[in-house]
Amino acid sequence: MDNDLDAWFAADILCHEAALVQYLRRAWPHPDEVHDLRQEVYVRVYEAAGKARPHQPKSFLFATARHLMTDRLRRGRVVSIEPVGDFESLNVLIDECSPERRLGARQNLRRLAEAFDRLPERCREAVWLRRVEELPQKQVAQRMGITEKTVEKQIAKGMRLLAEHYFGGEAGGQDGAGMAALGRSRRSATDDEAQGHDGHGGKQGD
Amino acid sequence: MAASREIEDTAAQWLARRESGDWPAAAQAELEAWLARATAHRVAFVRLQAAWTQAARLRALAGADSGVPERLSWDEAAPARADAPADAAASPLRADALSFQVRPKPARASRWPYAAAAAVATLAVGLGWGWLHYGAVERSSYRTALGKTDEVALADGSHATLSSDSRIEVALSGAQRRVELAQGEAFFAVAKDPRRPFAVAAGARRVVAVGTHFSVRRDGADVRVVVTEGTVRLESEPVGGHPQPTTLLPAGSIALAGPNGVLVRSVPVEEAERYVDWRHGFLVFRDTPLAQAAAEFNRYSARKLVIADAAAGELRVGGNFRWSNAEMFVGLLEQAMPVKAERLPDRIVLRSR
C-alpha cells in the first residue's frame, strides 16, 4: 500500500475529473467508451506517478489522455483522427491550479451537497445515516426498515454515484441533453452559473 | 457492462463492506490482494474512497437536530453562495453567454416638450407615430474579410456575429427588424421583442425569431439554420406558385433547406452549439468526410485545401481545430491518416497514399 501515492492521486488528479471527462467526451467518438478510457487514463497516470511524480499533474493527465486515444487509434479500432485533433484548442492546460485551491472550501462543500442531493432517495438516506451521522450499520438498517445487506448495497451504490457527481461534476451526466436538463431544473441562475463553473473549471480560457 | 464499470462496482462493494463494521483481518488481506492484482482496481478504489471521505464533510452543513436533510435544503445551512457570483462572472465557459446578453434598448423618442405641445401636438404625435413605425432606426451593411469574424451590436440590442467572408444588410425600424444574409454565415443573438419579429432572409428562405439564438448560413442555393436557444420559424418562398410549409425549429435543430425541401435534424443543444463554435475560433468535426472538412477550412483561408482523389475525400475525420490553423490540421492528417500533402504557395493538395 502506498498511501502517499493514493493521497496524491486523490488530491491532484481526481479534482480534474470533470475537465477530463469533458475532454474525452469531446474528443472520442464513442461516448460509451469514455468510462473505460477515463479509468485507463487513471491507471497510466497512477503507474507513472509511482515511478516519478509529474511536476504538472493536470498537464500530465491530459497528455496521458491524448496518448491513450492515439494509441487506441493506432490499433485501428476507430477510423478517425479525432483525439489527435488540435489538442491545444481545448485550452485545458491554461489553468494548472487545482479546483480545491480555486474554488475554496465552501464552494467545494456546496458541490458536495449537490452531488449528495442527486442520489436516489434511499441511497441518500443510507449514506447520510452511515457516513454523516455515523450510525452503526445495524441501526441504519433498523431506522430504514431494511436488511443490513441492503444497507451495504445502498452504500456501495451511493459511493459510486457520489464519486461520479462530485468528481465528474455535470460532465458526469449521461449526455449533453441530460446536462442541460439538470441545469434547467436547478433553483436559480446563480446556481447554474456556480455549478457550471465548478463542473468545467479549468477549461476553455479563450 | 464495460470492464471499468465492473471494477468500479467491485471496488464499491469492498469499500461498503469495510465500512459495514464487520471487517475481519482475513477480509483486509483479501482486499489487499484484490487491490494488488491490478492498478485499475486500485485507482477505482482510491477514487471511491476519496469521495466517501469527502462525504463526511456534509456534517458541516447539517443543522443541530440533524436527521436526513431535505433535498435542496442547504441554502440556510450553507454559506457557500456568497462567493459564487464572482466566480460565475469569471467562468470562461459562460463568457459567450455573457457577451451575447441583450443590451438595454436605446431610448426612443424622449418626452415631447410641454411648451410646444399645444400648437403641434397633433402633428407631432402623427409624425412620432410614423417615425416609430416606419422610420429607419438602423440601416447598415456589415461584412467580414476572409479569415476574419466580427461581432456587431445592432440598434435594437441584438448582436450578430459574422463568420469569415460574410455580409449582412440590416434594416431595423420601429415596426420591423429585417436582416438579409447576402453571403456566408452569421450568428444572431436576438433581443426579445415580440412586437417586432426579427427576420433573416437568405435567398428564398426566411428565418423569423422574436428572441433567440441561431445561425444562418448560405452555401449556394442551400441554407443551413442552427438553433441554439428558443424557437425560430423557417419560411420559404412559394415554389412554382405553391406555398411552402413553414417549419418550426426549436433549440437543438439543424435545418438544411435546399431546392428540394427542408431537412431537419434534432440534436442535443450542446451538439448544436458545436456548429457555431467557429465564433470562438474552432471548427468541430464528428465523423466528417475529409472533403467536407476541407471545405469548412476553405471558408476561412485563401490557401485552399484541395482534395486530389475521391478516396481521400471520403476519409472520416473528427476533432476540434482552430480554423486559423489549417496547416496543423494537415500535419495531423498526414500523421494519422493515409494521406499525403503537397504544400504549394496558394493551396495544399491532399491525396491518398
Side-chain angles (χ1 to χ4, degrees):
Chain A
M1 269 241 179
D2 185 347
N3 288 324
D4 193 41
L5 181 57
D6 289 352
W8 171 83
F9 185 80
D12 283 3
I13 294 299
L14 290 178
C15 59
H16 298 301
E17 183 166 308
L20 172 68
V21 169
Q22 193 159 350
Y23 171 56
L24 292 173
R25 258 177 220 291
R26 200 159 170 155
W28 194 252
H30 306 287
D32 51 326
E33 291 175 12
V34 166
H35 195 275
D36 266 346
L37 278 173
R38 186 196 76 195
Q39 191 180 63
E40 182 67 24
V41 170
Y42 282 170
V43 167
R44 288 190 181 195
V45 168
Y46 188 92
E47 284 176 351
K51 292 173 197 128
R53 248 7 100 72
H55 291 298
Q56 297 190 306
K58 191 177 184 185
S59 303
F60 187 75
L61 176 68
F62 280 86
T64 306
R66 182 162 47 107
H67 289 147
L68 174 63
M69 290 191 279
T70 313
D71 287 354
R72 286 213 176 178
L73 288 182
R74 292 233 172 90
R75 276 188 269 143
R77 290 189 43 191
V78 183
V79 186
S80 162
I81 61 162
E82 185 95 28
V84 220
D86 187 0
F87 179 63
E88 173 262 342
S89 75
L90 289 160
N91 287 329
V92 282
L93 301 180
I94 282 178
D95 182 3
E96 284 297 336
C97 75
S98 80
E100 287 287 345
R101 257 169 284 164
R102 202 157 36 75
L103 291 176
R106 283 153 155 201
Q107 265 186 295
N108 219 323
L109 202 55
R110 160 155 294 275
R111 183 158 157 197
L112 191 62
E114 289 190 349
F116 178 69
D117 273 350
R118 286 165 69 179
L119 299 181
E121 196 52 48
R122 291 212 307 168
C123 211
R124 195 168 169 275
E125 193 180 350
V127 167
W128 182 268
L129 296 175
R130 188 78 194 88
R131 174 84 279 216
V132 183
E133 297 197 15
E134 293 185 333
L135 296 181
Q137 182 165 292
K138 198 169 198 160
Q139 278 192 37
V140 175
Q142 279 169 2
R143 186 87 78 91
M144 293 180 67
I146 54 181
T147 65
E148 281 198 56
K149 200 73 216 159
T150 312
V151 173
E152 207 174 298
K153 273 190 192 150
Q154 292 292 334
I155 296 285
K157 185 176 169 190
M159 284 168 173
R160 299 181 62 177
L161 293 174
L162 208 55
E164 198 75 11
H165 297 157
Y166 179 64
F167 292 124
E170 289 207 327
Q174 284 308 298
D175 54 37
M179 277 168 61
L182 263 167
R184 276 195 297 277
S185 71
R186 284 228 172 66
R187 283 152 295 165
S188 67
T190 322
D191 271 2
D192 277 4
E193 297 287 332
Q195 177 65 17
H197 186 49
D198 291 359
H200 307 286
K203 250 186 55 74
Q204 294 210 349
D206 248 23
Chain B
M1 198 195 281
S4 63
R5 291 196 191 275
E6 258 171 67
I7 291 170
E8 196 177 296
D9 204 26
T10 312
Q13 283 167 25
W14 273 116
L15 201 48
R17 209 183 133 196
R18 198 183 70 181
E19 289 294 301
S20 74
D22 174 24
W23 191 241
Q28 177 66 28
E30 220 182 307
L31 168 60
E32 274 171 28
W34 184 77
L35 288 174
R37 203 170 304 148
T39 310
H41 297 178
R42 177 171 287 274
V43 291
F45 190 82
V46 168
R47 177 172 172 275
L48 294 178
Q49 185 176 248
W52 186 244
T53 306
Q54 291 286 321
R57 295 170 53 214
L58 287 167
R59 193 182 296 116
L61 299 178
D65 56 344
S66 55
V68 188
E70 291 290 305
R71 251 174 245 270
L72 306 181
S73 67
W74 306 98
D75 274 13
E76 296 74 13
R81 194 73 69 76
D83 33 5
D87 271 275
S91 168
L93 261 196
R94 301 285 154 157
D96 52 339
L98 291 176
S99 62
F100 283 100
Q101 239 162 34
V102 172
R103 288 190 322 177
K105 268 176 238 167
R108 280 193 208 124
S110 56
R111 243 165 252 177
W112 305 104
Y114 284 123
V120 296
T122 316
L123 180 63
V125 168
L127 283 177
W129 188 88
W131 180 79
L132 275 178
H133 286 259
Y134 299 109
V137 177
E138 176 177 355
R139 187 175 286 279
S140 36
S141 175
Y142 301 95
R143 63 162 67 232
T144 47
L146 201 61
K148 302 273 183 233
T149 63
D150 194 17
E151 186 188 331
V152 294
L154 306 181
D156 69 329
S158 299
H159 285 246
T161 311
L162 274 73
S163 185
S164 161
D165 196 20
S166 302
R167 183 160 64 89
I168 57 170
E169 306 284 346
V170 179
L172 304 179
S173 73
Q176 50 187 352
R177 302 187 281 177
R178 282 191 297 121
V179 173
E180 192 197 337
L181 175 69
Q183 182 184 327
E185 176 169 15
F187 177 86
F188 299 94
V190 177
K192 220 175 196 65
D193 186 350
R195 291 171 306 123
R196 285 193 300 163
F198 190 101
V200 179
R205 313 284 178 173
R206 217 162 77 102
V207 183
V208 185
V210 292
T212 58
H213 292 183
F214 62 94
S215 76
V216 184
R217 157 168 162 170
R218 295 186 68 159
D219 272 317
D222 295 343
V223 172
R224 189 184 78 185
V225 180
V226 178
V227 187
T228 58
E229 189 184 313
T231 298
V232 306
R233 202 166 72 227
L234 177 62
E235 301 174 343
S236 307
E237 274 175 13
V239 175
H242 300 290
Q244 298 295 301
T246 290
T247 316
L248 275 183
L249 305 172
S253 300
I254 298 163
L256 286 168
N260 301 319
V262 178
L263 177 73
V264 181
R265 260 196 326 133
S266 293
V267 300
V269 171
E270 195 191 51
E271 194 186 326
E273 274 168 357
R274 293 202 184 109
Y275 284 78
V276 291
D277 273 354
W278 53 262
R279 292 177 298 148
H280 311 301
F282 303 124
L283 292 175
V284 181
F285 304 128
R286 283 246 174 281
D287 200 25
T288 308
L290 181 55
Q292 198 182 321
E296 286 298 316
F297 272 105
N298 290 344
R299 293 174 77 93
Y300 296 89
S301 165
R303 194 183 184 200
K304 304 296 182 195
L305 302 183
V306 180
I307 310 287
D309 56 287
E314 285 161 13
L315 290 170
R316 299 284 170 151
V317 300
N320 312 282
F321 306 93
R322 283 194 183 279
W323 47 250
S324 56
N325 201 347
E327 183 65 38
M328 180 180 199
F329 174 70
V330 170
L332 288 166
L333 276 178
E334 285 186 298
Q335 193 181 320
M337 312 280 276
V339 168
K340 194 171 149 39
E342 185 189 354
R343 293 170 174 80
L344 302 167
D346 63 329
R347 62 188 193 277
I348 300 176
V349 181
L350 300 169
R351 56 172 52 91
S352 34
R353 56 166 186 217

